[in-house]
Every structure is written in C-alpha cells, then in structure tokens.
Amino acid sequence: MDQQYKALKIGAAVIALAIFLKLFTVVFTSARDSFLNPEMLSLAVFLQTGRVVRFPGRQETPAATQPPQIVEPEATEPTNQEPALPVFSADDAKNMDLIYGCDYRPDLGSLMASSLSWDLTDGQPAVLIVHTHATEAYTPTAGTAYEESSDYRTLDDRYNMVSIGDEVARVLEEGGIRVIHDRSYHDYPDFNYAYINARKSIAEYLEEYPTIRMVLDIHRDAGAGENGYQLSTSATVGGQSSAQVMVVIGTDASGNTHPNWRTNLALALKLTAQLERNHPGVTRPVYLRQERFNMDMTPGSLLVEVGASGDTHEEAILAANALARGILQLARGTLQ
C-alpha cells in the first residue's frame, strides 16, 4: 500500500512539473516576443547605438507596388531674378539632434550660422558621387527582386547603391550641377578593402577634376533583430512612404589627420536642416564619428546613409530624390 501511495505521489509530482514547465514556456515565449516587438527593438537599438530607427518586421516579400511617383516642382515662367539663397542661424541648431560617436561636442550654433560660399552651378564638375559599399541593397519587393551577392547585397546596378547614386546625379544634373558618378565596386570581391579602394578612386578624381567641391559617399544602413526584422526607417515625401536620410561625419578623434571635419559638419547641419524644412521627418540625426571615412580628403565631403536594409528600393529612391533637391537648394551657397 505504501508503495502504491509513493508511486501516486511521484506520478502527481511529475504531472505537476510538466504543467509548470509548459506554463513557464508559454509565459517566457510571450515575454520574449513582447520584448522583440518592433517598438522594443527600436528602443533597444537606440539605447545601444543612438540610431533613431524603426523595425517594421518585414517577414515576407511585400506585394507588388507601383514605382514611386516623384513629384517634380511645377514649371514657372522664366525670370531674370535668381532664386533666393537659404539662410541659417544659430537658432536653427537648437532643435538639431546629433549622435555622438566620439568625445567632441562642437558649437553647433556657430557651425550652422557659418557662411557657405560656393557655386556648384558654374559649369565645372562640382560634385563627385562614390559608393564605398556599392553592392548594398534593400528589401526586395515583387518587381524589384535581385540576385544576391550576399545578404541584402547585389551586383545588379538597378537595385544597389549605384542606382541611388544615379537618382541623385540625375536630379543634380537637371538642376545645373555637373556630376561625376563613380560606379565602381569598391567592396567587391573583398569587402575588407572597401575604404582603401574608395580612397584611391577619390584621390584620382580630385586630381583629374580639381573643381570638385562636394564628395558624396552614398550608402545605406543595416541591422537585424532575432526574428528577422531588418533595420528600417520611415518618412513621408510628397505624400508617399520614403526612407530617411542620415549624414555621417568623420573627425580626427581617432588620432588621424582630418583638417576638414568642422567644415564638413557645418555643411551636414545645413543640409539636414534644409531637408527637414522640405520634408519634416525625412532625416535622422547627424552622426559624428571618430573615424575619418575618407572625408579628410577634401572639404565638402559627406557620407550619407540613404535608408536601411529593411527599406524598399522605391522608398530609397524617394529619399535620394529629396536628398538631391536639398543639395540643389544649397548649390549657390547661403546668405548670412
């Protein structure tokens, strides 16, 4: 009888333990999934990196969409009056967000108010577009599928960063700026030498075209969560879903020579402010880094992240169009 009683107790204990483990698994899984929801993932990324992003959780290829309909400015009657130059003051820097990846804390007000004295529309090659990571690509949609060279990367110029550079170059050229667009793959086949390869290309172009005053190294950002969430950004341009734009500025904080970083930062602040005037929310905070990223080679150098791997190519094209139009508004300098 005692043995039967003991057996019943052991059996009951096993059943209770099994029920407990099942309940624990359900609760743990629910808590895990709750933590990994888009809002929590966005918060986690912000706390870790300072990057303001969202995770939309694109798990499947989105349905087919129409190409973005970019709204061009309405034609106006020609006049002899030059378009008004933008004006920036120290007050424009008060609401400017920066992500600090180094110990520097520059005076943003004085940099924002500093003069921008150039004319990119004088008929000479003025803007160089390069892609240190040309193979970077976006989340494919039906109609924008591509063959991957690696995850979210492709050698297909229709969908990688070369296509984003093409859109920026097109708008700038139509606005009267002569553009040199380097379509080289600096990150393929060896990703590790991308910045070294890009530096050689930039040096060659600067020697061949000494009139270049702006160098745009155009990338896209990247990141992923455990559930397959790809880092994505969110903005609206012309009433349509767009990616965001982030300007990254290198410094000499790592100990490398970089005499131009404050000049570059002043330009980044003005461009970001202008983009926000045009399309509120289209920019992410300017990211100040300790590395140079080849921006020491000439004043007017910017590294620009157009969207992220979780954005679609259509959204990135809209952001690239907005970026180019912001540059056009600064093409003849600023008023003080």
Side-chain angles (χ1 to χ4, degrees), residues 73-95:
E74 293 184 3
T76 57
E77 292 295 326
T79 67
N80 294 325
Q81 185 176 0
E82 295 287 350
L85 300 182
V87 179
F88 300 96
S89 69
D91 287 339
D92 290 303
K94 291 181 179 179
N95 295 321

Side-chain angles (χ1 to χ4, degrees), residues 68 70 129-131 133-139 144-146 154-171 181-185 218-220 306 311-321 323-324:
I70 298 171
I129 298 175
V130 299
H131 308 286
H133 298 153
T135 64
E136 292 174 335
Y138 301 90
T139 295
T144 65
Y146 53 81
T154 184
L155 299 176
D156 190 334
D157 287 353
R158 296 173 299 171
Y159 304 116
N160 59 23
M161 300 316 298
V162 173
S163 68
I164 304 302
D166 283 342
E167 176 64 12
V168 175
R170 180 188 71 81
V171 175
H181 185 194
D182 177 21
R183 302 164 65 86
S184 304
Y185 288 95
I218 301 180
H219 299 240
R220 63 104 173 101
V306 178
D311 295 318
T312 68
H313 186 259
E314 295 93 336
E315 291 168 333
I317 287 292
L318 277 175
N321 186 278
L323 168 65

Side-chain angles (χ1 to χ4, degrees), residues 91-137:
D91 287 339
D92 290 303
K94 291 181 179 179
N95 295 321
M96 182 70 66
D97 291 327
L98 257 73
I99 300 169
Y100 293 99
C102 61
D103 293 332
Y104 292 159
R105 297 296 184 272
D107 183 347
L108 302 184
S110 62
L111 290 173
M112 180 72 83
S114 63
S115 62
L116 178 59
S117 301
W118 67 8
D119 186 357
L120 305 181
T121 64
D122 61 3
Q124 301 296 321
V127 174
L128 170 64
I129 298 175
V130 299
H131 308 286
T132 298
H133 298 153
T135 64
E136 292 174 335

Side-chain angles (χ1 to χ4, degrees), residues 271-282:
L271 177 57
T272 299
Q274 186 62 53
L275 291 173
E276 282 297 311
R277 291 175 182 179
N278 298 341
H279 308 286
V282 78

Side-chain angles (χ1 to χ4, degrees), residues 35-55:
F35 180 76
L36 291 176
N37 67 33
E39 290 77 13
M40 293 302 296
L41 283 168
S42 296
L43 176 61
V45 170
F46 176 77
L47 292 176
Q48 182 179 5
T49 69
R51 296 182 297 183
V52 180
V53 298
R54 68 176 174 88
F55 287 87

Side-chain angles (χ1 to χ4, degrees), residues 116-129 172 176-180 202 205-217 260 263-264 267-268 295 297-302 327 330-333:
L116 178 59
S117 301
W118 67 8
D119 186 357
L120 305 181
T121 64
D122 61 3
Q124 301 296 321
V127 174
L128 170 64
I129 298 175
L172 295 184
I177 297 176
R178 286 191 61 187
V179 178
I180 306 297
I202 294 170
Y205 282 113
L206 291 177
E207 182 177 2
E208 183 175 359
Y209 302 101
T211 57
I212 289 174
R213 277 152 288 176
M214 186 179 208
V215 177
L216 296 173
D217 187 2
N260 305 316
T263 300
N264 294 345
L267 175 59
M295 283 181 274
M297 301 185 71
T298 183
S301 294
L302 303 176
I327 293 171
L330 302 180
R332 295 178 54 252

